[in-house]
Amino acid sequence: MQQYNPANPLIVQGDRTVLLEVDNPLYPEARDALAPFAELERSPEHIHTYRLTPLSLWNAAAAGMTADEMVEVLARFTKFPLPPSLGADLAELVDRYGRVRLERVEGELRLISSDRPLLEELARRKGLRDLLFHRLDETTFAVDDAHRGVLKQQLIAAGYPAEDLAGYSPGTPLEVEMREGTAASGRPFQVRDYQRQSVDAFYAGGDARGGSGVIVLPCGAGKTVVGIAAMARLKTQTLVLTTSTTAVEQWRREILDKTDLTEDQVATYTGDSKAIAPVTLATYQIVTYRPSKTGPFPHFKLFAERDWGLIVYDEVHLLPAPVFRVTADIQARRRLGLTATLVREDGREEDVFSLIGPKKFDVPWRILEQKGWIAEARCIEVRAGLPDPNRMEYAIAEWRDKFRLASENPLKDELVAELLTRHDGPEDRVLIIGQYIKQLRQLSERFDIPVITGQTSNGVREDLYGKFRRGELRRLILSKVGNFAIDLPDANVMIQISGTFGSRQEEAQRLGRILRPKGSEEPAHFYSIVSRDTREMEFAHHRQLFLTEQGYAYEIVDASELLDGLDLSAYSTSVMGQDDEPERTQDEVEESLPTDRSHHAGARNE
């Protein structure tokens, strides 16, 4: 019988919550062992709370982890004996994955389960019964291919995620080889070991268990190379969907640099160009465009323009709702999702699981940092109180105005000034990023730093990004366009002055901007400036959850430590009544991708 072990860091409870002591010497080892099958919910200073959710368990099961292996991890690190029912509870939940299967028999799609009572129950369930053609025998129903996606959505909603073994269309062949040793640019290039392993996990030797799923890797770890390597492994015509025209151009550069494909074989399908080629790169924004709110999506036809053998969903955690709809209709195509985090603030993780596929490969960020594949990073939260006049303005403000008032704390400008002074070396490349455009433009004017927003033309963006890469610019201010898929490998300092409420995914993406290895022993620095005793500080704790799970600890620094001797009474600026709402634009998808559930929650509370 298991005994009490006070040296261990876990407390495992019967409601499937797990408490982890941060100050315990075994904390890092226990955290990494929990990550594959548990979800971090709260991360205050000393005790982190995880939950064993059905989806976290099913993702682990799809990756090959058994319930016994999960229980063994918990038993190895727990202080107290495990709850008696936990083993049976986890076994039952894990066993639900794959109890029903989709298979192709004699060319026809079938729903199969050896559990006859379960199949009877599911066949009578509202939302499922109309998707099953007719019963073939006691364990099998015929299914229309057109219902393959929506059937999987309904099954996971019922608590029995299907294992899809029905196979995929091979697509039109495309001869493509990865370059080895040297890229077309002349720079050294080799597919890294973890990149090969992730492609192997996705491909699964060509077996029906491969061909759909999500690869989770940190920003800066080369997810684009993973997508290209998967395309080269399958040797099939490929459609890539990504977040912006900037990301499209980055994918195009990487494909031409890392493979033997020629320029006429790689096309871009965006607001500026509607070309189609064996490899086509499109934005989510153009695919989901429609002239009216109730009209059709004219560019959905792109999914049928070619016999695609692979569809790559870049930044899959941001997949817009309409793309889920069309993805449900193309389940015969191989589908690869790439992301730094499976967190979706809109709560649609189950749709990613059922329509794109389960998690196939994941590696903790800290592991890649230790191996030198991504940069070491220090995360520092700078807490600044509101100056007295602003405190009173905040106290009497309407609830919906409080977050903006906290975000535009005038002391943040002074903190930015101090941090720019501290990181003014010849090797420093600084990005300043925020949510409110007026705030960013004020910083741009004060420090004479170019600013890029959603309204900045693609030509100007690419020119500024190019100058930053070449070292002609050492500082750049970015709105939310800086969250996703920009290739600025030399950036080593990020100063975050405001963000999207409590978005965990945004925090992860922003840290990722500075994680590309620099060949320097100095760590990258990620500063998040937060107004103390305000709604912004509450949201900051939630934003940091995902990075805490990955092993990053936030150092807490008081603004007074940076602004010693500054007369705070001189800094008070009224922002009430000024029109400085978060950036909204129609011409770039970064500004209109799915709104955070946190944002919605905040709006409801207002």
Side-chain angles (χ1 to χ4, degrees):
M1 183 177 176
Q2 194 174 7
Q3 301 297 314
Y4 170 61
N5 186 343
N8 274 347
L10 289 188
I11 298 174
V12 183
Q13 304 184 107
D15 62 353
R16 299 204 300 274
T17 56
V18 181
L19 306 180
L20 174 58
E21 291 181 349
V22 175
D23 299 321
N24 190 292
L26 292 175
Y27 164 73
E29 186 181 350
R31 178 199 65 217
D32 292 345
L34 272 177
F37 64 96
E39 180 181 333
L40 181 64
E41 284 192 334
R42 294 186 297 279
S43 59
E45 289 83 352
H46 303 297
I47 302 290
H48 291 177
T49 302
Y50 288 77
R51 185 172 295 277
L52 306 173
T53 68
L55 193 60
S56 70
L57 298 173
W58 295 334
N59 264 310
M65 194 173 194
T66 66
D68 286 344
E69 289 170 332
M70 299 175 201
V71 171
E72 188 278 326
V73 167
L74 298 174
R76 190 185 342 147
F77 293 106
T78 188
K79 282 183 184 296
F80 302 101
L82 295 179
S85 62
L86 185 70
D89 192 19
L90 292 192
E92 180 179 327
L93 275 170
V94 170
D95 184 56
R96 287 186 170 208
Y97 174 70
R99 289 264 290 278
V100 292
R101 306 181 308 280
L102 281 167
E103 298 183 11
R104 195 166 298 281
V105 180
E106 298 178 353
E108 294 184 353
L109 190 62
R110 309 282 173 83
L111 181 70
I112 300 173
S113 176
S114 57
D115 187 335
R116 289 172 53 191
L118 173 62
L119 198 60
E120 291 289 349
E121 179 185 352
L122 294 174
R124 287 164 170 75
R125 182 183 171 93
K126 183 180 179 181
L128 275 171
R129 58 186 176 226
D130 295 335
L131 300 176
L132 304 178
F133 255 8
H134 58 275
R135 189 165 203 143
L136 299 174
D137 57 42
E138 292 180 339
T139 62
T140 309
F141 278 92
V143 178
D144 188 337
D145 270 280
H147 295 159
R148 184 171 170 181
V150 69
L151 177 62
K152 290 196 289 185
Q153 286 179 295
Q154 290 294 329
L155 285 168
I156 200 170
Y160 291 90
E163 186 174 16
D164 189 344
L165 304 174
Y168 307 96
S169 166
T172 302
L174 174 65
E175 283 303 316
V176 52
E177 297 291 341
M178 298 291 292
R179 298 180 185 273
E180 293 290 339
T182 306
S185 60
R187 294 190 296 268
F189 169 68
Q190 203 77 31
V191 179
R192 299 169 184 169
D193 55 356
Y194 65 87
Q195 292 169 333
R196 291 189 188 279
Q197 291 165 12
S198 64
V199 173
D200 290 343
F202 169 75
Y203 183 60
D207 185 76
R209 285 181 168 79
S212 66
V214 178
I215 304 299
V216 182
L217 289 174
C219 301
K223 292 187 294 295
T224 304
V225 171
V226 170
I228 297 170
M231 179 176 67
R233 175 70 63 86
L234 292 168
K235 299 190 184 305
T236 184
Q237 296 200 7
T238 300
L239 174 64
V240 179
L241 301 176
T242 189
T243 55
S244 67
T245 52
T246 299
V248 161
E249 290 303 321
Q250 179 181 322
W251 269 87
R252 188 172 186 275
R253 286 195 303 270
E254 287 291 288
I255 290 170
L256 295 176
D257 190 48
K258 305 296 192 296
T259 74
D260 60 357
L261 292 177
T262 58
E263 291 200 13
D264 63 313
Q265 292 177 295
V266 184
T268 61
Y269 192 98
T270 65
D272 299 325
S273 167
K274 301 295 187 297
I276 296 174
V279 176
T280 298
L281 314 170
T283 64
Y284 292 129
Q285 190 265 348
I286 194 65
V287 169
T288 56
Y289 166 79
R290 55 179 170 175
S292 66
K293 289 185 178 180
T294 57
F297 296 90
H299 299 293
F300 272 9
K301 64 182 182 180
L302 179 61
F303 290 91
E305 285 285 345
R306 296 242 176 173
D307 184 15
W308 309 113
L310 174 65
I311 298 178
V312 179
Y313 300 85
D314 194 19
E315 309 289 7
V316 73
H317 62 285
L318 296 171
L319 203 63
V323 178
F324 280 122
R325 189 187 317 170
V326 71
T327 300
D329 297 334
I330 54 170
Q331 292 293 296
R333 311 289 182 185
R334 287 186 174 89
R335 304 171 306 284
L336 171 61
L338 300 172
T339 184
T341 165
L342 278 173
V343 169
R344 283 185 65 96
E345 305 295 349
D346 62 0
R348 298 194 66 166
E349 291 92 346
E350 288 188 352
D351 282 338
V352 173
F353 185 100
S354 56
L355 297 180
I356 308 301
K359 180 171 64 176
K360 293 291 188 179
F361 187 84
D362 190 3
V363 59
W365 293 31
R366 281 292 201 179
I367 298 297
L368 295 187
E369 178 188 296
Q370 291 163 9
K371 293 184 177 181
W373 292 122
I374 60 176
E376 180 185 355
R378 288 182 62 197
C379 298
I380 303 163
E381 181 181 298
V382 183
R383 294 180 179 176
L386 288 166
D388 285 341
N390 297 81
R391 285 185 63 199
M392 181 58 70
E393 187 175 25
Y394 179 89
I396 64 176
E398 295 291 332
W399 188 246
R400 63 174 172 267
D401 293 321
K402 288 182 182 290
F403 183 77
R404 177 168 56 85
L405 285 164
S407 296
E408 294 187 322
N409 182 346
L411 280 184
K412 291 188 179 186
D413 290 21
E414 304 311 314
L415 289 163
V416 169
E418 175 61 27
L419 293 173
L420 289 175
T421 300
R422 295 187 178 207
H423 295 282
D424 194 31
E427 300 302 319
D428 284 321
R429 301 289 184 272
V430 183
L431 298 175
I432 301 170
I433 195 164
Q435 165 90 345
Y436 292 92
I437 301 306
K438 180 179 68 68
Q439 183 183 34
L440 299 177
R441 287 180 176 149
Q442 286 175 344
L443 292 172
S444 175
E445 292 173 8
R446 174 173 174 176
F447 300 111
D448 192 25
I449 302 173
V451 59
I452 296 176
T453 74
Q455 300 292 347
T456 307
S457 71
N458 289 322
V460 172
R461 289 188 201 197
E462 288 303 318
D463 179 59
L464 291 173
Y465 288 150
K467 287 179 178 177
F468 191 91
R469 293 186 194 103
R470 296 189 297 271
E472 297 170 25
L473 277 176
R474 296 195 296 113
R475 297 169 175 176
L476 202 55
I477 297 175
L478 303 169
S479 73
K480 292 193 295 181
V481 298
N483 289 351
F484 317 114
I486 56 170
D487 183 20
L488 302 174
D490 292 326
N492 67 321
V493 179
M494 170 75 78
I495 303 173
Q496 176 178 243
I497 58 171
S498 54
T500 308
F501 291 84
S503 175
R504 295 162 289 172
Q505 57 180 226
E506 185 175 74
E507 193 87 347
Q509 292 290 330
R510 289 181 172 183
L511 174 62
R513 299 305 108 211
I514 59 173
L515 285 186
R516 295 184 184 276
K518 314 293 188 294
S520 168
E521 294 184 3
E522 285 296 312
H525 289 78
F526 179 62
Y527 295 97
S528 185
I529 306 177
V530 178
S531 293
R532 179 186 288 105
D533 299 326
T534 68
R535 293 187 72 199
E536 187 182 37
M537 190 163 158
E538 297 168 16
F539 284 122
H541 290 305
H542 191 261
R543 290 176 63 87
Q544 296 164 6
L545 271 176
F546 177 77
L547 294 180
T548 302
E549 188 176 21
Q550 297 301 315
Y552 291 93
Y554 280 75
E555 302 172 37
I556 307 299
V557 176
D558 191 87
S560 61
E561 298 177 36
L562 302 181
L563 302 178
D564 186 34
L566 185 70
D567 180 8
L568 301 187
S569 65
Y571 295 93
S572 63
T573 303
S574 175
V575 294
M576 290 298 291
Q578 296 177 349
D579 183 15
D580 187 28
E581 292 304 312
E583 180 175 21
R584 300 293 297 173
T585 179
Q586 298 301 314
D587 65 349
E588 280 298 325
V589 70
E590 298 99 329
E591 313 303 332
S592 56
L593 283 168
T595 307
D596 283 344
R597 184 173 54 184
S598 308
H599 189 147
H600 281 244
R604 284 194 298 271
N605 290 335
E606 293 157 6

